[in-house]
Amino acid sequence: MESEPLYNLLQLPKEVDQPTEEELPRGGKKKYLPPNSRKDPKFEELQKVLMEWINTTLLPEHIVVRSLEEDMFDGLILHHLFQKLAALKLEVEEISLTSVSQRRKLGVILEAVNQSLQVEEQQAKWSVETIFNKDLLATLHLLVALAKRFQPDLPLPDNVQVEVIHIESTKTGLKSDKLVEQLTDKCSSQKDQPSQDAFDELFKLAPEKVHAVKEAIVSFVNQKMESLGLSVQSLDTQFADGVILLLLIGQLEGFFLHLKEFYLTPSSPAEMLHNVTLALELLKDEGLLSHPVNPEDIVNKDVKSTLRILYSLFQKHSLRAEGTRASRGTPN
């Protein structure tokens, strides 16, 4: 749409801070929520649902959020929330009193969040600057992404969109456009959710067969890891740190993983998460992940998720080996 001077496009009420040309440098851009957008019922409902979710999650820590705009900027609540959701510990100071230390802490937190969400920093709709400057839209984008990742059944209102004023400083003065920003999906129907796979059916309809499947996969893993002098006794626990998983992928797919790329003896949940995330990226690159798997689920020793990724390797290499033997006339 064609840009026009700010005063012609919309006369903003006094309660909305407008930048002067001195405050917004040449080429600088900002966006603002006008009062009518802030009062949109679905926009208010989204904030209410997210606040209740955060307060419920952090209830054991006696943390209460009263304003997403005012309470999230310094990283304190975001720090506790992400650690709780991702079941890991971030090496940051608990309380930061200066703006410099708060920005630094926020940077560490957002780096871990982006890694968990598998979002590139350039693609993220939030940043250290926007969160620290109490940008409500950026904060909402971040919290919606966390909720969809860690609490997919949270009843977020569908199709929340608000009118936003984008302001740009040009050589002829301040120009602005009115644009619509989408905060939640237009439809959260079941078709948008990952479909169930064989392991969902197995655990639901034939749980008595799970043990036999685990035994077959453990036998396969031990056969492949024998040359490295490693063995697995418990599928439920020994893959949580990602080490054996990475070594197994390297053996089967012919990868050489330098010791600088992963933690051979991880000593924290964050290091375990790094290993597992790397393993899932390798499997995804090879086209072996037919069903989405969250790295935190592996770290948290979720048996179904662990079986999924191991079966993807078993299916390719064990069944292919059997097919080769069968073509040579060897009994299956």
Side-chain angles (χ1 to χ4, degrees):
M1 83 186 267
E2 185 179 351
S3 296
E4 55 181 299
L6 179 62
Y7 56 81
N8 286 342
L9 181 64
L10 184 64
Q11 292 295 325
L12 295 180
K14 292 182 179 179
E15 63 263 31
V16 178
D17 295 329
Q18 304 179 51
T20 65
E21 292 186 37
E22 291 74 20
E23 292 173 339
L24 197 60
R26 177 76 62 82
K29 297 179 181 180
K30 274 197 171 185
K31 56 185 177 181
Y32 290 87
L33 270 172
N36 63 313
S37 293
R38 290 178 175 271
K39 294 174 183 176
D40 181 278
K42 294 188 77 171
F43 185 68
E44 292 180 334
E45 181 190 356
L46 175 63
Q47 294 179 74
K48 180 182 177 184
V49 170
L50 288 171
M51 274 196 290
E52 289 178 350
W53 170 59
I54 294 171
N55 289 335
T56 301
T57 303
L58 298 181
L59 182 62
E61 300 179 45
H62 307 289
I63 292 176
V64 177
V65 174
R66 293 185 173 85
S67 167
L68 296 180
E69 196 165 17
E70 296 295 330
D71 295 346
M72 305 297 293
F73 80 98
D74 62 357
L76 176 63
I77 293 173
L78 188 59
H79 174 206
H80 283 266
L81 178 66
F82 182 65
Q83 285 196 147
K84 186 84 171 179
L85 295 173
L88 54 80
K89 182 173 177 59
L90 297 177
E91 298 300 325
V92 294
E93 51 196 337
E94 180 65 28
I95 297 178
S96 305
L97 298 179
T98 67
S99 60
V100 173
S101 60
Q102 287 170 350
R103 285 173 185 266
R104 183 171 59 245
K105 175 178 180 177
L106 198 54
V108 174
I109 297 168
L110 291 184
E111 183 180 358
V113 168
N114 291 345
Q115 182 181 6
S116 176
L117 297 176
Q118 298 183 5
V119 173
E120 296 291 335
E121 184 179 353
Q122 298 80 4
Q123 299 172 334
K125 296 179 180 179
W126 54 83
S127 66
V128 172
E129 285 304 309
T130 54
I131 300 297
F132 188 77
N133 289 325
K134 302 181 182 179
D135 184 321
L136 181 56
L137 288 174
T139 302
L140 289 173
H141 278 302
L142 173 59
L143 293 175
V144 167
L146 286 171
K148 289 170 67 177
R149 168 67 182 81
F150 293 102
Q151 187 96 35
D153 58 344
L154 188 69
L156 297 173
D158 291 336
N159 197 26
V160 178
Q161 50 185 1
V162 289
E163 190 176 82
V164 181
I165 304 170
H166 283 242
I167 304 173
E168 180 179 3
S169 176
T170 69
K171 61 183 179 180
T172 58
L174 294 178
K175 304 289 184 180
S176 73
D177 287 324
K178 284 192 293 186
L179 300 174
V180 173
E181 187 144 346
Q182 193 82 30
L183 289 165
T184 63
D185 297 334
K186 292 184 179 181
C187 181
S188 58
S189 62
Q190 286 188 337
K191 67 179 181 180
D192 295 325
Q193 305 298 324
S195 59
Q196 290 198 331
D197 67 351
F199 285 99
D200 289 309
E201 297 297 322
L202 177 68
F203 276 72
K204 181 179 179 181
L205 302 177
E208 72 281 356
K209 296 182 180 179
V210 172
H211 181 69
V213 173
K214 287 164 66 175
E215 282 191 335
I217 291 180
V218 166
S219 175
F220 160 75
V221 171
N222 284 335
Q223 180 186 358
K224 302 302 178 183
M225 300 298 287
E226 187 177 5
S227 61
L228 296 179
L230 298 172
S231 65
V232 171
Q233 281 76 45
S234 172
L235 181 146
D236 296 19
T237 61
Q238 285 185 261
F239 292 92
D241 63 7
V243 176
I244 292 180
L245 181 57
L246 282 170
L247 296 175
L248 176 64
I249 294 171
Q251 281 285 94
L252 295 175
E253 298 295 321
F255 293 136
F256 173 75
L257 292 173
H258 198 282
L259 289 177
K260 291 181 179 179
E261 296 179 9
F262 70 104
Y263 298 95
L264 189 59
T265 55
S267 58
S268 69
E271 293 179 357
M272 295 164 66
L273 184 63
H274 170 88
N275 286 352
V276 174
T277 301
L278 174 60
L280 293 180
E281 288 174 354
L282 293 173
L283 291 175
K284 187 186 253 185
D285 290 343
E286 292 300 303
L288 294 178
L289 280 184
S290 58
H291 195 280
V293 175
N294 296 326
E296 288 85 358
D297 292 340
I298 306 298
V299 174
N300 291 333
K301 302 174 185 176
D302 180 77
V303 177
K304 192 191 299 183
S305 297
T306 305
L307 278 173
R308 276 195 181 105
I309 58 174
L310 293 176
Y311 184 74
S312 67
L313 290 165
F314 174 84
Q315 189 176 32
K316 177 179 178 180
H317 293 278
S318 180
L319 299 185
R320 185 174 66 183
E322 289 182 3
T324 302
R325 289 198 301 271
S327 66
R328 294 174 180 173
T330 306
N332 190 337

